Amino acid sequence: MINLSVNINKIATLRNSRGGNLPNVLQVAQDCERFGAQGITVHPRPDERHIRYDDVYKLKPLVRTELNIEGYPDKSFVDLVLKVRPNQVTLVPDAPDAITSDTGWKTKEHFEMLNEIVEIFTEKSIRTSIFVNADEEDIEWAAKTGADRIELYTGPYASQYAQDCEAAVAPFVRAAALAGQLGIGINAGHDLSLENLAFFASKIDRLEEVSIGHALVCDALYYGLEKTINLYKACLI
């Protein structure tokens, strides 16, 4: 079974658009777990336009499955992770003004910094994942940092899926095979949906976790949150 981690950033975006506390981000996280999600993902950004740092502190004692914190490892992010001690931290190369994650790390170019950050988190027994493209060199250098896992950036797969699903998934199949040879775990995320998730999951060996937010929240508007989570989990069997 591949774990489903629900990214609740969009819930926070909706809350922030009106002020107040509706929807209640903490309650939604607990409900996601109650409905069957095996993890909660948050991606705090410097402008706190969706998940706020204060949300992350409050989520830590409430999450009963796994808490995954994504973000660019600047000082404030590193400090947050060390204080919260999540089950997993995912390092992403987002610029401060990025709307959403749109590429993985060039891990060879940023090796020294990533290696240092991975060592810091590993010392605190925090599982560390590096967000990468389905690129052989990037995966090889990610493994050299000592990270526990990579998270494959699946945006290109999702954008090509409707045209040619086999061609779209092929680079990710090769990437997963290489990760297996290097002994590094595999997560995946970005633009995975009810349309393309089952096919992706069926093709990627040793896939351990997918992190899904935007599409899942959009589907929940029609199906409801509980049914939507179960529909996504059914894609991962």
Side-chain angles (χ1 to χ4, degrees), residues 10-16 19-28:
K10 282 297 185 294
I11 303 298
T13 300
L14 182 60
R15 175 200 61 188
N16 296 352
N21 197 35
L22 288 176
N24 185 317
V25 169
L26 305 182
Q27 184 61 55
V28 170

Side-chain angles (χ1 to χ4, degrees), residues 44-48 53 56-57 69-84 89 96 117 121:
R45 287 186 164 88
D47 60 6
E48 297 193 317
Y53 274 42
V56 183
Y57 289 114
I69 305 178
E70 299 180 343
Y72 181 85
D74 59 12
K75 185 180 185 304
S76 60
F77 180 83
V78 172
D79 289 344
L80 173 71
V81 172
L82 292 176
K83 290 175 183 176
V84 173
V89 58
I117 297 296
F121 292 149

Side-chain angles (χ1 to χ4, degrees), residues 127-129 139-150 174-187 205-206 208:
R127 184 200 309 141
T128 306
S129 178
I139 294 168
E140 289 176 345
W141 283 88
K144 290 178 182 179
T145 67
D148 301 285
R149 299 184 186 180
I150 54 170
R174 294 192 293 270
L178 175 60
Q181 294 169 17
L182 296 172
I184 191 167
I186 305 167
N187 297 339
D205 290 338
R206 299 175 55 257
E208 298 184 61

Side-chain angles (χ1 to χ4, degrees), residues 74-183:
D74 59 12
K75 185 180 185 304
S76 60
F77 180 83
V78 172
D79 289 344
L80 173 71
V81 172
L82 292 176
K83 290 175 183 176
V84 173
R85 299 283 190 94
N87 305 93
Q88 178 174 265
V89 58
T90 302
L91 307 178
V92 298
D94 286 356
D97 60 349
I99 295 175
T100 186
S101 304
D102 59 4
T103 191
W105 287 98
K106 292 298 181 185
T107 50
K108 182 178 180 179
E109 178 181 344
H110 298 281
F111 175 77
E112 290 187 11
M113 183 268 285
L114 290 170
N115 185 58
E116 179 181 346
I117 297 296
V118 168
E119 285 184 359
I120 290 171
F121 292 149
T122 299
E123 286 178 0
K124 300 300 181 180
S125 299
I126 302 170
R127 184 200 309 141
T128 306
S129 178
I130 297 179
F131 195 66
V132 295
N133 299 318
D135 177 88
E136 181 176 307
E137 182 177 70
D138 291 337
I139 294 168
E140 289 176 345
W141 283 88
K144 290 178 182 179
T145 67
D148 301 285
R149 299 184 186 180
I150 54 170
E151 179 173 332
L152 293 170
Y153 167 57
T154 49
Y157 163 75
S159 66
Q160 298 170 28
Y161 174 81
Q163 288 75 39
D164 187 337
C165 59
E166 291 288 353
V169 82
F172 296 88
V173 173
R174 294 192 293 270
L178 175 60
Q181 294 169 17
L182 296 172

